[in-house]
Amino acid sequence: MDAPRERTSWLQGGGAVCRTPPRAVARPSRLVLLGPPGVGKGTQAQLLFVHTGACALSTGDIFRNAKSGTVERPSPAMRTAVTSMNRGELVPDDIVLSIVHERLRCLTCRGGFLLDGFPRTVAQAEALDQLLANEGLHLHAALHYELPTRAVVSRLTGRRTCPVCKTVFHLTSRPPKSAGLCDYCHGPLVQRADDEPETVGVRMAEYVECTAPLVDYYRAHGRLRTIDASGTPNEVFERTLSILHSATRAPV
Ligand code: AP5
């Protein structure tokens, strides 16, 4: 798999610009990836990036980036966001929306976008629709990944992540070439603090209460595409592509 793009604009916000901006494409993909924590949204976003050239934009990566100390003086809002994330709770909508608004250039980027972890509430989905409409853009589809909870938990407990390039590995299903080291940055992989069993329970409950209603929201707007997330990452990706080709006009 290709290394992820650096995504400086998304991760840092404000006036930060990407060193290697995406190339312009005739029909950029604009997609949302939905599904419970650990279902594999980030993994599919990375595969879709390789296929479409659109950046994988994870709100969780923004908060983890702030937590990692690479942001010099995190704002009070960002500190609140990190506290919520550490507990497994959702970050309040007003904070998430101001952080996304500050990164509007990523949503209007000529390369398109693959949103992973945003929107996560109906209020966030409505705000995203409004932001895109203001720019004369629209979402092509919301890809909804489904998997039984037991399988999701096993994906979460085996996950290891590169704190630098954010690439996601798994102890058994996607092991790094050298044990414990990132294939791209060659630095040590870490286990996310919110993958501890007690925090996973909180995240699952937040998903059911606040994020699952988005399935109905996107269904009602005719943009929902549900995908079976069982099997290997490549099998799920093949399903994703075939659904995008057959059921939407999304440019894949
Ligand atoms: P976020 O970073 O968005 O986390 P999440 O939604 O909980 O999703 P994950 O990143 O845990 O999982 P994933 O579905 O991307 O799975 P992955 O591909 O890594 O959010 C974290 C926190 O930030 C939230 O809890 C909240 O506090 C806050 N937050 C973020 N956005 C917010 C928002 N908009 N509003 C409010 N709060 C917000 O895969 C998991 C593992 O499985 C990996 O190890 C992978 O290698 C493996 N794997 C993937 N696919 C397969 C497969 N097909 N077979 C076997 N293994 C697989």
Side-chain angles (χ1 to χ4, degrees):
M1 200 189 289
D2 291 13
R5 191 177 277 135
E6 31 97 13
R7 297 162 296 155
T8 304
S9 287
W10 180 254
L11 293 175
Q12 294 181 15
V17 287
C18 295
R19 288 188 300 278
T20 47
R23 63 189 156 78
V25 285
R27 297 177 63 224
S29 297
R30 298 193 180 93
L31 300 168
V32 159
L33 286 82
L34 274 181
V39 75
K41 302 179 295 293
T43 301
Q44 294 303 311
Q46 174 61 10
L47 291 165
L48 279 164
F49 153 67
V50 174
H51 191 83
T52 66
C55 282
L57 305 178
S58 154
T59 32
D61 278 348
I62 297 174
F63 306 139
R64 281 184 289 279
N65 200 48
K67 184 182 166 182
S68 70
T70 46
V71 174
E72 262 184 37
R73 271 192 294 276
S75 63
M78 194 62 91
R79 287 201 296 271
T80 304
V82 170
T83 304
S84 302
M85 180 177 75
N86 287 344
R87 292 188 190 129
E89 295 164 3
L90 289 193
V91 175
D93 283 342
D94 58 335
I95 294 181
V96 174
L97 291 173
S98 75
I99 283 169
V100 170
H101 202 267
E102 200 196 349
R103 290 156 173 79
L104 186 58
R105 71 170 72 182
C106 295
L107 300 185
T108 58
C109 176
R110 61 189 186 171
F113 60 74
L114 308 164
L115 281 170
D116 164 14
F118 174 85
R120 234 180 174 98
T121 63
V122 171
Q124 291 180 19
E126 289 170 343
L128 173 64
D129 282 345
Q130 191 59 57
L131 274 180
L132 293 177
N134 292 346
E135 301 296 327
L137 302 173
H138 71 279
L139 200 62
H140 295 122
L143 306 178
H144 169 222
Y145 292 94
E146 280 189 326
L147 193 69
T149 304
R150 209 172 44 175
V152 166
V153 171
S154 130
R155 286 186 185 179
L156 282 175
T157 49
R159 170 165 56 191
R160 298 293 182 270
T161 309
C162 173
V164 178
C165 72
K166 324 293 179 204
T167 300
V168 172
F169 298 86
H170 190 275
L171 292 179
T172 52
S173 67
R174 197 194 164 198
K177 289 177 190 146
S178 304
L181 297 178
C182 177
D183 289 356
Y184 309 109
C185 308
H186 310 293
L189 300 176
V190 297
Q191 183 165 25
R192 272 172 47 175
D194 61 349
D195 283 348
E196 296 294 332
E198 57 280 13
T199 317
V200 166
V202 178
R203 289 164 65 199
M204 291 294 181
E206 289 277 74
Y207 178 77
V208 170
E209 187 182 341
C210 304
T211 310
L214 279 183
V215 171
D216 288 337
Y217 177 87
Y218 283 119
R219 185 181 291 119
H221 288 74
R223 280 172 290 173
L224 189 76
R225 304 291 176 254
T226 296
I227 299 166
D228 171 8
S230 62
T232 66
N234 282 336
E235 286 167 349
V236 181
F237 185 57
E238 287 306 317
R239 264 175 237 138
T240 300
L241 286 187
S242 95
I243 282 190
L244 281 171
H245 279 304
S246 65
T248 76
R249 287 182 295 153
V252 291

